[in-house]
Amino acid sequence: MSIRLFEIERRLSLVLLLSPRTILEILLDKYAEKGVEEFNIPTIFKANREFDNYGNVVEIAEQFGGVQELKEAVNQLQSLLYSA
């Protein structure tokens, strides 16, 4: 299999499997395991191999509409956690 074909298949699988909700669920699981440090963007995506299956930080942010939208989603998740 050529490297180009492999990359196309990898990106297609990201589109089919990745959703903003999935990323937030993983972040929530990480928070439950390790605490508030897990909300540090982009460190969380670089430090946890679990996110490698979903692409790099830029690819993950694109699923939210951009970096700012990703940060806002994580901030909203934090707010919901602390308001409960």
Side-chain angles (χ1 to χ4, degrees):
M1 177 182 299
S2 74
I3 293 174
R4 176 84 174 124
L5 182 57
F6 177 77
E7 181 64 20
I8 291 169
E9 286 181 350
R10 185 182 79 81
R11 289 181 183 267
L12 180 59
S13 69
L14 289 175
V15 170
L16 296 175
L17 297 175
L18 179 66
S19 72
R21 181 182 176 129
T22 302
I23 293 299
L24 292 176
E25 288 173 349
I26 294 170
L27 282 172
L28 190 56
D29 289 343
K30 294 293 179 190
Y31 169 78
E33 291 174 17
K34 298 183 180 179
V36 71
E37 308 85 43
E38 296 305 305
F39 286 123
N40 186 341
I41 299 172
T43 306
I44 180 68
F45 299 116
K46 293 178 181 177
N48 287 285
R49 305 306 304 146
E50 188 172 350
F51 290 105
D52 287 351
N53 296 329
Y54 300 99
N56 61 37
V57 177
V58 173
E59 291 170 328
I60 291 171
E62 286 174 356
Q63 295 298 315
F64 288 83
V67 173
Q68 187 59 39
E69 290 82 354
L70 171 59
K71 288 180 179 179
E72 289 173 11
V74 171
N75 288 338
Q76 285 180 337
L77 180 60
Q78 277 184 290
S79 293
L80 289 170
L81 284 170
Y82 298 128
S83 68

